Amino acid sequence: MEFSAKQIAEYIQGIIVGDENATVHTFAKIEEGVQGAISFLSNPKYTHYIYDTQSTIVLVNKDFVPEQEVKATLIKVDNAYESLAKLLTLYEMSKPKKTGIDPLAYIAPTAKIGKDVYIAPFACVADGAEIGDNTSLHPHATVGGHAKVGNNCTLYPHATVYHDCRVGNNCTLHAGCVIGADGFGFAPSPEGYEKIPQIGITIIEDDVEIGANTCIDRATMGATVVHKGVKLDNLIQIAHNVEVGSHTVMASQVGIAGSTKVGEWCIFGGQVGLAGHIKVGDRVGIGAQTGVAGDIKSAEKVMGTPAIDAKNFMKSAVVYKKLPEMYATLNAMQREIEELKKQLNK
């Protein structure tokens, strides 16, 4: 399908600079642009590419002022990255969607299957499970006994929803992610470690996306809860009885220990680690590789291990780089002081 600059501008409420009849049929990064492609520019580091790109249309922010001639047709918008996301969503929605149940899928007789679902070969829906309308289960996706998956969800290959767990509407579970595996609960005994049965569940609310090989454990009792709009990257571990507030986002390899409560609209960088039984407020920013051992108040920005104020951490990092020089200087000063002491004693 082809779209003109005029059609695109109307959809994203942009202003055209150039040929409103220019047409595109694909997307490309600005540095890899080709004729018939639409690209975007939001990071100033990539500005130099706009003068040579072969893309037919480029989305730019309204405050962009070219320093030389730009061959591409520009569409100026409030936020180029956000507008690109809207176009990519439209493009994705325009793709034909598979429906139907493959003969090689297993559907338990007591399972409830909604309308217009797609259940691929070797997918499994166990006894008493429920699958909502317009939901897709790709090969080897598994929905356990009495678990529920809502409407308009996608479970990619090997995504697993354990028994009794709940997944809301409009959720995406990427390949290999696990919802509701046992929490890590063991009681020490003279003979070793005795397993504590994990009898709770995991609840995933609406509009949540969970990355590949991410694990969200079921609760010991009650529920581990991931609230509405949360976005989790690949390879994240969320332990039993954790609660993640709505619209919080986490980058890869975050680990959260048991019974920790995370607020709304938080942003976690990669490899952040949170101790158990702590509380993180709303709109907290945590830098990559930060180790959090205690509570964090709302709106704080922290980095480092143990976590400290992000600005102080960056100042400390500058000093840390200079420690070898400072150490050498300190040693030299100590030697000079000792020399002066000896001279004074004489």
Side-chain angles (χ1 to χ4, degrees):
M1 296 178 67
E2 282 195 341
F3 295 92
S4 68
K6 184 177 180 180
Q7 291 172 314
I8 294 169
E10 288 174 354
Y11 182 72
I12 59 176
Q13 298 181 333
I15 300 168
I16 299 171
V17 179
D19 182 8
E20 69 175 19
N21 296 314
T23 59
V24 294
H25 62 271
T26 190
F27 293 84
K29 294 190 291 185
I30 193 167
E31 67 270 30
E32 298 174 359
V34 294
Q35 285 293 316
I38 183 170
S39 300
F40 79 105
L41 173 64
S42 63
N43 189 330
K45 291 181 180 179
Y46 291 81
T47 300
H48 63 282
Y49 287 115
I50 200 168
Y51 304 112
D52 299 316
T53 187
Q54 297 301 305
S55 290
T56 303
I57 298 174
V58 179
L59 304 178
V60 295
N61 294 331
K62 284 183 177 177
D63 60 359
F64 172 72
V65 179
E67 296 178 354
Q68 59 191 75
E69 183 185 359
V70 177
K71 296 178 182 178
T73 292
L74 304 182
I75 299 180
K76 291 192 169 187
V77 290
D78 291 329
N79 186 316
Y81 191 69
E82 186 178 295
S83 295
L84 177 75
K86 290 180 181 179
L87 293 176
L88 287 170
T89 300
L90 178 65
Y91 174 75
E92 192 68 18
M93 289 172 60
S94 69
K95 291 182 179 178
K97 188 176 180 181
K98 289 183 178 180
T99 57
I101 300 173
D102 192 276
L104 293 176
Y106 174 75
I107 310 294
T110 56
K112 296 180 181 179
I113 307 299
K115 300 176 182 177
D116 299 320
V117 300
Y118 171 61
I119 302 181
F122 309 111
C124 175
V125 183
D127 287 327
E130 298 182 18
I131 306 297
D133 298 343
N134 302 304
T135 286
S136 298
L137 273 60
H138 289 261
H140 298 282
T142 299
V143 179
H146 302 282
K148 293 182 180 179
V149 177
N151 302 327
N152 305 307
C153 292
T154 301
L155 276 63
Y156 283 103
H158 294 282
T160 302
V161 180
Y162 272 57
H163 58 280
D164 301 313
C165 293
R166 307 285 183 264
V167 177
N169 302 318
N170 309 311
C171 291
T172 300
L173 277 56
H174 285 280
C177 82
V178 179
I179 308 301
D182 279 359
F184 193 64
F186 297 90
S189 72
E191 291 77 28
Y193 294 91
E194 184 176 347
K195 183 176 176 64
I196 301 171
Q198 306 291 292
I199 62 173
I201 63 171
T202 299
I203 298 172
I204 309 296
E205 293 187 346
D206 296 348
D207 305 312
V208 171
E209 182 156 346
I210 300 172
N213 295 321
T214 284
C215 299
I216 305 174
D217 292 345
R218 70 194 311 111
T220 306
M221 290 179 283
T224 303
V225 183
V226 176
H227 286 288
K228 179 183 173 74
V230 168
K231 311 300 179 188
L232 303 178
D233 198 358
N234 305 330
L235 297 166
I236 288 172
Q237 162 64 24
I238 295 180
H240 54 193
N241 293 94
V242 167
E243 183 175 355
V244 180
S246 60
H247 306 291
T248 284
V249 296
M250 300 181 191
S252 180
Q253 299 182 6
V254 167
I256 304 180
S259 299
T260 283
K261 310 299 180 189
V262 177
E264 301 177 348
W265 294 99
C266 294
I267 300 175
F268 291 6
Q271 297 185 334
V272 165
L274 271 63
H277 302 275
I278 65 174
K279 185 175 181 180
V280 176
D282 298 334
R283 299 183 184 275
V284 168
I286 305 181
Q289 296 189 323
T290 295
V292 181
D295 293 352
I296 301 178
K297 295 178 182 179
S298 292
E300 288 194 359
K301 304 291 185 288
V302 299
M303 293 180 73
T305 302
I308 60 174
D309 176 78
K311 290 183 179 178
N312 287 340
F313 175 82
M314 287 185 278
K315 291 176 182 177
S316 300
V318 173
V319 174
Y320 183 79
K321 292 177 183 178
K322 297 179 179 179
L323 282 179
E325 298 170 21
M326 294 169 67
Y327 181 68
T329 302
L330 181 62
N331 281 341
M333 290 173 65
Q334 286 178 327
R335 286 194 296 269
E336 288 178 14
I337 290 169
E338 292 301 322
E339 273 303 314
L340 288 170
K341 283 181 178 179
K342 288 178 182 178
Q343 292 177 17
L344 287 171
N345 289 334
K346 289 178 181 179

